[in-house]
């Protein structure tokens, strides 16, 4: 698998999470070996998507969650 294909697959996963669930978390991305979540969100913002990010408390810790506001 080429790096270009891997990036496309990772970007597709991020888009699917945002479109289907309305949000994507940093911890879920890391579990799928996606360490460039912020870069993918930045690319989507440049493409015209309104995405907001915030820290949320979760299981005694915290996670950073991006939420899709509008397409």
């Amino acid at each position: 698998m080429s790096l270009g294909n891997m990036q496309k697959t990772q970007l597709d996963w991020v888009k699917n999470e945002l479109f289907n669930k309305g949000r994507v978390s940093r911890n879920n991305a890391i579990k799928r070996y996606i360490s460039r979540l912020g870069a993918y969100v930045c690319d989507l913002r440049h493409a015209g998507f309104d995405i907001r990010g915030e820290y949320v408390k979760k299981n005694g810790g915290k996670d950073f969650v991006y939420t899709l506001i509008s397409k």
Side-chain angles (χ1 to χ4, degrees):
M1 175 185 288
S2 73
L3 183 58
N5 287 339
M6 184 184 303
Q7 288 176 341
K8 181 178 183 228
T9 301
Q10 290 179 354
L11 179 58
D12 287 342
W13 181 85
V14 172
K15 287 195 299 191
N16 286 335
E17 288 289 301
L18 286 169
F19 297 156
N20 295 329
K21 296 180 179 177
R23 59 189 350 202
V24 62
S25 76
R26 182 189 63 88
N27 288 347
N28 282 340
I30 297 265
K31 287 177 188 175
R32 287 161 179 79
Y33 303 100
I34 299 172
S35 60
R36 300 190 68 241
L37 178 60
Y40 293 132
V41 169
C42 187
D43 290 344
L44 292 171
R45 284 177 176 156
H46 282 16
F49 296 94
D50 186 8
I51 301 170
R52 308 275 166 86
E54 66 180 340
Y55 280 101
V56 295
K57 290 184 179 183
K58 189 174 184 181
N59 299 332
K62 62 183 176 179
D63 191 5
F64 198 82
V65 176
Y66 292 99
T67 304
L68 179 64
I69 304 301
S70 66
K71 297 177 186 178

